Amino acid sequence: MTETATADEIRPVIVTVDDDPGVSRAVARDLRRRYGERNRIVRAESGEDALEALKQMKLRGDQVAVILADYRMPGMNGIDFLEQAMDVYPYAKRVLLTAYADTDAAINAINVVDLDYYLLKPWDPPEEKLYPAVDDLLKAWRRDDRKPVRETKVVGHRWSAPSSQLRDFLARNQVPYRWYSSDEPEGQRLLEAAGADGRDLPVLITVDGEALIAPSQREVATRVNLATTPERDFYDLVVVGGGPAGLGAAVYGASEGLKTLLVEKFATGGQAGQSSRIENYLGFPDGLSGSQLTDRARRQAVKFGAELLTTSEVTGLELSGPARTVRLSDGSAIDAKAVILATGVSYRQLQTPGCTEMTGAGVFYGAALSEAEACRDQDVYVVGGANSAGQAAVYLSRYAKSVTMLVRAPSLEKSMSYYLIEQIAGIDRITVRVSTEVAEVTGSGHLEQLTLRDVDSGKTETVDAQQLFIFIGAAPGTGWLNGVVARDDHGFVLAGPDLSEDDLADWPLDRPPYHLETSVPGVFATGDVRSESAKRVASAVGEGAMAVMLVHRYLEML
């Protein structure tokens, strides 16, 4: 099925951002005067509003040709805005509007955000100072011959768990799509055109018009052009897991000449990829989202030649002489000289009556980003007291009427970063209830109420709730390593100095294991899956890079 786009949607967009309403209107006026017939002019008065507009345009499949941003804006200056805008529209031409006194900042921005041009204020007369520059940028943009992006469509139901899982899968894999509810007219029209009765959801309609009814993740990955099979049978390095540690290892491995394959069963980014805002990551004083960090790292790894497999679950590790064999759930196997385990952890399931039945129907595990829009003007609850729960609460507070954090511990201090505790305290919409747990989850087809229990007194109360987001504990999911690699009592992989003499009883080399090396030579553990790791994004990325250095040392001795 194809849709006819309106003339307004076809016209490439020119975005202008300035916090001064008068200047904002003046720039938009001059742009419309010359480019209004062939381009759509969108103006915003803050970087935050402009980013939101860009994201909406991205979902609609609109083309953005040029972005003009004023340098001096409160909260988010023009350089910071353009850096984040680059993640949404990497091929749009970027212009910084600046006063003469700020030309040094503009020159520096050329390197920071690949700035295409900077304009000095005032730009009068526009015929001499504005239009020639924009003309050249539009010509350069058109020469790239960037055709409109046709979008994937998803038809599903709000309270359908498979629909929720598909939305999360597409969002975390950075696949643009448009959502249609199955109980609304347009969704019903799409179902009819796809020959679906609406009982088996979701329905995915590809950019080529092919309809997939209740598809598997692997089917979806194949149709949206995510790699699902390796290009070769043997690699220098196989990285298992696509979180920050795995992506860091893939970037450094590939950039240093190793034939590198990264295998991920769901989506790159891991738990960090679901973080709405990471504000203590080195080099990003204004913070960045987990999806931004993931997208950049993924593009970087591919740029250096790493292969990334999605929806491929590793089920076994075997030793075949000097080779390390990784077995996948589809029965295939991949051989490598070295393996880096970077599988991270997954959120533990909340063992509460009714919770399993409501998963995907109002109860979600770490899906705050993809479900945030559905929380608008609702009462939302977040279970957990660590950074991931706090980041989700802050993000959801932008949409929800209220956000209540449920924390079993008596305070947040032991489990959450200080900056995040302060941030939460300053948001009126967020309430933190300590020494509180969920005793029961109830609803008819979807979440409607929660029964909360005071941990100290045992008293309970029932509250109305539309959405529940769970961020509790972490399980390493390393059962497939049984009998191969030494692990601690909780399933985390032991490495380097944490290995005991008993763990190394079968160690075949005359040297001790390297710092991140496991009980099997040539197999390394990084990030959250490693026992006693720091459980921080920066340390995971650092360990990924360090593991590659140790892989080189190991390969030299083969």
Side-chain angles (χ1 to χ4, degrees), residues 260-276:
T260 303
L261 173 71
L262 184 149
V263 184
E264 169 57 46
K265 68 177 181 180
F266 187 77
T268 51
Q271 282 190 327
Q274 301 177 68
S275 296
S276 54

Side-chain angles (χ1 to χ4, degrees), residues 42-96:
V42 174
R43 74 178 183 92
E45 294 181 3
S46 74
E48 293 83 358
D49 289 345
L51 280 175
E52 189 63 32
L54 287 173
K55 292 173 183 177
Q56 293 298 321
M57 287 186 276
K58 185 74 171 182
L59 289 176
R60 291 198 302 266
D62 295 344
Q63 298 181 90
V64 174
V66 179
I67 304 173
L68 298 93
D70 182 50
Y71 171 62
R72 287 185 178 271
M73 294 189 294
M76 180 186 294
N77 67 35
I79 296 175
D80 294 335
F81 161 71
L82 289 174
E83 184 179 11
Q84 295 193 41
M86 188 165 55
D87 291 324
V88 185
Y89 279 99
Y91 303 111
K93 301 302 179 183
R94 293 173 286 279
V95 182
L96 194 67

Side-chain angles (χ1 to χ4, degrees), residues 186-262:
E186 185 61 22
Q188 292 171 1
R189 284 192 287 269
L190 288 171
L191 288 175
E192 183 179 356
D197 58 14
R199 284 194 286 268
D200 292 324
L201 294 175
V203 172
L204 182 136
I205 302 171
T206 70
V207 294
D208 296 322
E210 179 185 8
L212 304 177
I213 300 174
S216 68
Q217 286 178 0
R218 194 172 185 84
E219 288 177 312
V220 173
T222 301
R223 297 305 197 281
V224 299
N225 298 319
L226 296 174
T228 57
T229 56
E231 295 180 3
R232 50 171 60 95
D233 296 324
F234 192 86
Y235 292 83
D236 296 322
L237 174 63
V238 169
V239 181
V240 184
L247 286 169
V251 167
Y252 281 93
S255 67
E256 294 174 11
L258 297 177
K259 293 183 177 63
T260 303
L261 173 71
L262 184 149

Side-chain angles (χ1 to χ4, degrees), residues 3 151 153-157 178-182 186-187 190:
E3 293 181 345
E151 62 190 3
K153 300 178 180 65
V154 176
V155 185
H157 194 277
R178 184 176 291 189
W179 166 262
Y180 297 89
S181 178
S182 60
E186 185 61 22
L190 288 171

